[in-house]
């Protein structure tokens, strides 16, 4: 983000109509900064008192039913609030610069509902020790890191809404986001590295329960559907450029040839 001049600092501090919206977006950014890593730790079964695998729960049938409702709630919020019709509706009530901030609030609140209401089904499907356990743990943390690496390459601050508010209320310049196809860094290996990171973090676990399977299957299905719809939008925006890119680069997992071929150059 562009730096502020002393005059801009004074202008923001002395103007509640500029300061309050920006602080609101900044607070939401912080809320997301807490929610996302906790969600990943929840999904991986790491450290938290309640995770996808453990915690108070009902018997298996009602637990799975509740979990499916929670996953449907996530899909409804995530897709519904991303639709152009909803964006047009919400910007009748909030400034366009805060539309992404409102979306992030929705995502975080739904994730907290899911984490708090989730019903573990603790029957163990597999439990790995030794070298295999280390491999599965390592895979989870690779996915964890990849989620953040992908957001940084996608313009982290814009993705979480703070860039739009900063430019509107602090430095008061038009949003400079360029609609360009991202093909650098990890995007040379996969087209959707953020989704790759999520998929890996959902499936790589040294102990995998029935509840974990419900979580992983449900969100994997949503990721596949969401990616299909996103690809249609990308083709509509970038046309032949995206088709050529998609013909060369896999969607989620890099080919062995791509990895070793690039590293040897």
């Amino acid at each position: 983000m562009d730096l502020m001049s002393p005059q801009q600092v004074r202008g923001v501090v002395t103007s509640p109509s500029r300061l309050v919206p920006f602080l609101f977006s900044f607070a939401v950014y912080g809320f997301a900064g807490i929610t996302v890593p906790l969600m990943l730790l929840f999904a991986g079964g790491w450290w938290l008192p309640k995770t996808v695998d453990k915690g108070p729960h009902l018997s298996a049938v009602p637990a799975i039913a509740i979990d499916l409702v929670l996953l449907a709630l996530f899909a409804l919020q995530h897709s519904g609030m991303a639709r152009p019709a909803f964006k047009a509706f919400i910007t009748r009530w909030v400034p366009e610069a805060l539309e992404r901030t409102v979306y992030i609030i929705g995502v975080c609140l739904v994730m907290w509902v899911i984490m708090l209401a989730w019903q573990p089904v603790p029957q163990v499907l597999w439990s790995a020790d030794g070298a295999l356990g280390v491999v599965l743990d390592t895979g989870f943390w690779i996915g964890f890191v990849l989620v953040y690496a992908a957001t940084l390459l996608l313009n982290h601050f814009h993705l979480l809404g703070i860039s739009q508010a900063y430019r509107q209320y602090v430095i008061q310049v038009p949003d400079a986001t360029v609609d360009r196809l991202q093909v650098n860094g990890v995007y040379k290996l996969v087209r959707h590295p953020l989704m790759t990171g999520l998929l890996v973090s959902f499936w790589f676990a040294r102990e995998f329960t029935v509840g974990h399977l419900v979580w992983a299957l449900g969100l994997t299905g949503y990721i596949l559907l969401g990616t299909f719809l996103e690809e249609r939008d990308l083709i509509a925006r970038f046309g032949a450029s995206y088709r050529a890119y998609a013909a060369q680069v896999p969607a989620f997992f890099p080919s062995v040839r791509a990895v070793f071929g690039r590293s040897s150059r």
Side-chain angles (χ1 to χ4, degrees):
M1 292 188 294
D2 299 332
L3 296 178
M4 301 186 333
S5 68
Q7 293 82 0
Q8 288 170 328
V9 172
R10 286 194 296 270
V12 173
V13 171
T14 58
S15 174
S17 64
R18 294 171 61 189
L19 180 62
V20 172
F22 175 68
L23 290 180
F24 174 65
S25 71
F26 193 80
V28 172
Y29 175 80
F31 185 34
I34 295 171
T35 301
V36 172
L38 285 180
M39 181 274 290
L40 292 171
L41 294 175
F42 173 87
W46 287 84
W47 301 329
L48 303 179
K50 180 180 181 181
T51 70
V52 72
D53 296 307
K54 66 182 181 182
H57 59 86
L58 302 175
S59 58
V61 173
I64 291 174
I66 291 172
D67 293 343
L68 291 175
V69 170
L70 292 171
L71 291 173
L73 175 65
F74 171 83
L76 181 64
Q77 178 277 320
H78 217 68
S79 293
M81 290 187 72
R83 295 299 91 198
F86 183 86
K87 292 181 180 181
F89 169 78
I90 200 66
T91 51
R92 296 177 187 175
W93 308 97
V94 301
E96 187 173 350
L98 295 179
E99 180 271 325
R100 187 68 183 179
T101 294
V102 171
Y103 176 80
I104 297 300
I105 292 174
V107 172
C108 291
L109 289 177
V110 166
M111 286 312 310
W112 277 99
V113 169
I114 291 174
M115 289 188 289
L116 292 173
W118 184 262
Q119 298 292 304
V121 185
Q123 288 82 358
V124 176
L125 296 176
W126 76 67
S127 182
D129 295 316
L132 180 56
V134 173
V135 169
L136 291 171
D137 286 347
T138 302
F140 169 82
W141 289 108
I142 290 173
F144 190 107
V145 171
L146 187 55
V147 168
Y148 282 91
T151 62
L152 290 173
L153 287 171
L154 277 173
N155 191 340
H156 174 81
F157 294 112
H158 194 274
L159 189 66
L160 294 177
I162 196 170
S163 177
Q164 298 91 314
Y166 179 80
R167 297 182 71 85
Q168 174 70 26
Y169 297 108
V170 178
I171 60 176
Q172 295 187 307
V173 298
D175 192 350
T177 301
V178 178
D179 190 23
R180 61 183 177 86
L181 181 61
Q182 175 60 268
V183 296
N184 296 317
V186 71
Y187 287 86
K188 294 180 180 179
L189 299 178
V190 293
R191 303 198 302 274
H192 304 283
L194 174 59
M195 300 308 163
T196 301
L198 291 172
L199 288 171
V200 170
S201 67
F202 294 160
W203 285 99
F204 277 63
R206 67 165 59 213
E207 184 170 284
F208 207 92
T209 65
V210 172
H212 201 138
L213 180 64
V214 173
W215 169 276
L217 283 175
L219 290 181
T220 297
Y222 175 76
I223 286 172
L224 294 177
L225 175 60
T227 301
F228 171 76
L229 297 175
E230 182 184 0
E231 294 254 295
R232 291 198 314 181
D233 293 340
L234 289 168
I235 291 172
R237 284 160 58 191
F238 299 111
S241 297
Y242 190 80
R243 291 182 187 276
Y245 171 63
Q248 297 178 6
V249 179
F252 302 115
F253 299 103
S255 66
V256 174
R257 179 182 176 185
V259 174
F260 289 98
R262 292 180 189 282
S263 64
S264 63
R265 292 179 184 178

